[in-house]
Amino acid sequence: LVRPGALPHVVVLGSDGAIWVLEGSITANIARYTASGPPSPGTSTYGRRDGLWARPDGTFWWSQLRYCGGLIPSVCPRLGIITQSGGLPLNIILPVTYPEILSSPGPLHLMLTTAPDGTLWIAGHEKDGISRFFRVDTDGTVDRSSAFPTGTSGAQLQAEGPIAITPNGTAWAVAADGATTYVVRFAPLG
Protein backbone atom coordinates (compact mmCIF):
# COMPACT_ATOMS: atom_id res chain seq x y z
CA LEU A 1 0.00 0.00 0.00
CA VAL A 2 2.90 2.42 0.49
CA ARG A 3 3.34 4.92 -2.31
CA PRO A 4 6.64 4.59 -4.23
CA GLY A 5 9.32 6.82 -2.67
CA ALA A 6 7.09 7.73 0.29
CA LEU A 7 9.60 6.95 3.10
CA PRO A 8 6.96 6.49 5.85
CA HIS A 9 8.17 6.93 9.43
CA VAL A 10 5.16 7.75 11.67
CA VAL A 11 1.69 6.19 11.54
CA VAL A 12 -1.34 7.51 13.48
CA LEU A 13 -5.07 6.82 13.58
CA GLY A 14 -6.96 9.98 12.62
CA SER A 15 -10.27 11.12 14.11
CA ASP A 16 -11.90 10.19 10.77
CA GLY A 17 -10.92 6.52 11.24
CA ALA A 18 -8.29 6.64 8.48
CA ILE A 19 -4.61 5.90 8.93
CA TRP A 20 -2.44 9.00 8.45
CA VAL A 21 1.22 8.50 7.60
CA LEU A 22 4.06 11.00 7.95
CA GLU A 23 6.33 10.42 4.97
CA GLY A 24 9.51 11.91 3.57
CA SER A 25 12.86 13.09 4.81
CA ILE A 26 13.77 16.64 3.70
CA THR A 27 10.17 17.64 2.96
CA ALA A 28 7.40 15.92 4.88
CA ASN A 29 4.15 14.69 3.44
CA ILE A 30 1.06 13.57 5.36
CA ALA A 31 -0.84 10.90 3.42
CA ARG A 32 -4.24 9.38 4.20
CA TYR A 33 -4.65 5.60 3.93
CA THR A 34 -7.97 3.73 4.02
CA ALA A 35 -9.01 0.13 3.39
CA SER A 36 -11.18 1.22 0.44
CA GLY A 37 -8.47 2.27 -1.99
CA PRO A 38 -5.00 3.63 -2.68
CA PRO A 39 -3.49 6.24 -0.35
CA SER A 40 -4.18 9.88 -1.02
CA PRO A 41 -1.24 11.94 -2.27
CA GLY A 42 -1.31 13.81 1.04
CA THR A 43 -0.42 17.28 2.21
CA SER A 44 3.14 18.55 1.77
CA THR A 45 4.72 20.57 4.55
CA TYR A 46 7.86 22.68 4.47
CA GLY A 47 10.76 20.89 6.13
CA ARG A 48 11.17 17.60 7.92
CA ARG A 49 8.63 16.58 10.55
CA ASP A 50 9.63 14.06 13.20
CA GLY A 51 6.32 13.33 14.91
CA LEU A 52 2.60 13.38 14.22
CA TRP A 53 -0.33 13.10 16.66
CA ALA A 54 -4.02 13.12 15.68
CA ARG A 55 -6.39 15.56 17.38
CA PRO A 56 -10.16 14.97 17.78
CA ASP A 57 -11.07 17.86 15.44
CA GLY A 58 -9.34 16.26 12.41
CA THR A 59 -6.14 18.33 12.64
CA PHE A 60 -2.74 17.05 13.79
CA TRP A 61 0.03 18.13 16.11
CA TRP A 62 3.44 17.84 14.43
CA SER A 63 6.99 18.13 15.78
CA GLN A 64 10.40 18.86 14.38
CA LEU A 65 13.62 18.57 16.40
CA ARG A 66 15.48 21.90 16.57
CA TYR A 67 18.59 23.34 18.19
CA CYS A 68 17.79 25.12 21.46
CA GLY A 69 20.68 27.16 22.84
CA GLY A 70 21.21 26.97 26.59
CA LEU A 71 19.63 23.55 27.06
CA ILE A 72 21.57 20.36 27.65
CA PRO A 73 21.11 18.38 25.55
CA SER A 74 20.47 21.19 23.10
CA VAL A 75 17.60 19.56 21.19
CA CYS A 76 13.99 20.63 21.67
CA PRO A 77 10.80 20.31 19.62
CA ARG A 78 9.27 22.85 17.30
CA LEU A 79 5.55 22.12 17.57
CA GLY A 80 2.60 23.04 15.48
CA ILE A 81 -0.85 22.14 14.32
CA ILE A 82 -1.46 21.22 10.70
CA THR A 83 -4.81 20.86 8.98
CA GLN A 84 -5.59 18.11 6.48
CA SER A 85 -5.28 20.73 3.72
CA GLY A 86 -1.83 21.86 4.87
CA GLY A 87 -2.68 25.00 6.86
CA LEU A 88 -0.43 25.79 9.84
CA PRO A 89 -2.54 27.66 12.41
CA LEU A 90 0.13 27.22 15.15
CA ASN A 91 3.93 27.02 15.01
CA ILE A 92 6.02 27.40 18.21
CA ILE A 93 9.37 26.27 19.63
CA LEU A 94 8.96 24.68 23.04
CA PRO A 95 11.98 25.11 25.37
CA VAL A 96 11.74 21.54 26.64
CA THR A 97 14.40 18.91 26.08
CA TYR A 98 14.83 15.18 26.62
CA PRO A 99 17.63 12.79 27.56
CA GLU A 100 20.23 12.66 24.76
CA ILE A 101 19.57 9.01 24.07
CA LEU A 102 15.97 9.95 23.20
CA SER A 103 16.84 12.84 20.87
CA SER A 104 15.89 11.01 17.69
CA PRO A 105 12.59 10.87 15.78
CA GLY A 106 11.45 7.40 16.90
CA PRO A 107 11.77 7.76 20.68
CA LEU A 108 10.71 11.44 20.64
CA HIS A 109 7.34 10.29 19.36
CA LEU A 110 6.92 8.33 22.61
CA MET A 111 7.70 11.38 24.80
CA LEU A 112 4.67 13.34 23.56
CA THR A 113 1.00 12.41 23.35
CA THR A 114 -2.39 14.00 22.78
CA ALA A 115 -5.15 14.08 25.36
CA PRO A 116 -8.83 13.49 24.51
CA ASP A 117 -9.35 17.29 24.47
CA GLY A 118 -6.73 17.74 21.71
CA THR A 119 -3.99 19.24 23.89
CA LEU A 120 -0.43 17.96 23.58
CA TRP A 121 1.39 16.62 26.65
CA ILE A 122 5.15 16.27 27.02
CA ALA A 123 7.42 14.79 29.70
CA GLY A 124 10.79 16.57 29.72
CA HIS A 125 12.74 19.41 31.29
CA GLU A 126 13.66 23.06 30.74
CA LYS A 127 16.96 24.86 31.45
CA ASP A 128 16.72 24.07 35.16
CA GLY A 129 17.10 20.35 34.35
CA ILE A 130 14.09 19.39 36.48
CA SER A 131 11.65 17.04 34.76
CA ARG A 132 7.95 17.79 34.78
CA PHE A 133 4.84 17.45 32.59
CA PHE A 134 4.04 20.17 30.05
CA ARG A 135 0.59 20.70 28.51
CA VAL A 136 0.35 22.71 25.27
CA ASP A 137 -3.03 24.23 24.37
CA THR A 138 -4.07 24.79 20.76
CA ASP A 139 -3.26 28.51 21.11
CA GLY A 140 0.34 27.75 22.16
CA THR A 141 -0.15 28.31 25.90
CA VAL A 142 2.16 26.04 27.92
CA ASP A 143 1.18 24.85 31.40
CA ARG A 144 3.78 23.20 33.65
CA SER A 145 3.27 20.66 36.43
CA SER A 146 5.26 20.64 39.62
CA ALA A 147 8.64 18.89 39.44
CA PHE A 148 8.87 15.12 39.31
CA PRO A 149 9.53 13.70 42.79
CA THR A 150 12.83 12.28 43.99
CA GLY A 151 13.53 8.58 43.80
CA THR A 152 14.49 6.25 46.64
CA SER A 153 18.14 7.23 46.03
CA GLY A 154 17.27 10.85 46.85
CA ALA A 155 18.03 11.98 43.27
CA GLN A 156 15.51 13.96 41.23
CA LEU A 157 13.59 11.75 38.77
CA GLN A 158 14.24 12.52 35.09
CA ALA A 159 11.77 11.86 32.25
CA GLU A 160 13.06 8.88 30.29
CA GLY A 161 10.32 7.27 28.28
CA PRO A 162 6.77 7.02 27.10
CA ILE A 163 3.93 9.25 28.29
CA ALA A 164 0.21 8.44 28.34
CA ILE A 165 -2.89 10.50 29.20
CA THR A 166 -6.06 8.87 30.53
CA PRO A 167 -9.54 10.05 29.50
CA ASN A 168 -9.86 11.99 32.79
CA GLY A 169 -6.62 13.94 32.08
CA THR A 170 -4.23 12.07 34.37
CA ALA A 171 -0.68 11.95 32.93
CA TRP A 172 1.65 8.97 33.34
CA ALA A 173 5.33 8.82 32.29
CA VAL A 174 8.44 6.72 32.72
CA ALA A 175 11.22 8.38 34.78
CA ALA A 176 14.44 7.30 36.48
CA ASP A 177 16.83 8.47 39.19
CA GLY A 178 19.93 6.83 37.73
CA ALA A 179 19.46 3.60 39.65
CA THR A 180 15.77 2.74 39.44
CA THR A 181 13.05 3.28 36.84
CA TYR A 182 9.62 4.52 37.96
CA VAL A 183 6.20 5.37 36.57
CA VAL A 184 5.21 8.93 37.53
CA ARG A 185 1.54 9.94 37.82
CA PHE A 186 0.20 13.52 37.65
CA ALA A 187 -3.47 14.36 38.15
CA PRO A 188 -4.29 17.98 37.22
CA LEU A 189 -6.57 19.96 39.52
CA GLY A 190 -10.09 20.68 38.36
Side-chain angles (χ1 to χ4, degrees), residues 110-111 123 160-164 172-174:
L110 298 175
M111 300 287 287
E160 282 208 347
I163 179 173
W172 297 80
V174 174

Side-chain angles (χ1 to χ4, degrees), residues 88-182:
L88 295 171
L90 177 68
N91 187 347
I92 62 171
I93 292 181
L94 188 65
V96 175
T97 192
Y98 315 94
E100 276 190 71
I101 195 167
L102 295 175
S103 296
S104 65
L108 172 65
H109 199 263
L110 298 175
M111 300 287 287
L112 293 86
T113 192
T114 51
D117 64 1
T119 57
L120 189 70
W121 283 76
I122 302 147
H125 63 271
E126 294 176 290
K127 288 183 182 181
D128 61 10
I130 297 174
S131 287
R132 61 186 79 237
F133 291 104
F134 299 85
R135 179 182 181 269
V136 184
D137 287 326
T138 56
D139 65 359
T141 302
V142 179
D143 295 319
R144 293 155 175 82
S145 74
S146 56
F148 280 12
T150 56
T152 54
S153 69
Q156 188 76 40
L157 295 183
Q158 295 293 311
E160 282 208 347
I163 179 173
I165 306 297
T166 64
N168 72 355
T170 300
W172 297 80
V174 174
D177 65 1
T180 306
T181 303
Y182 300 84

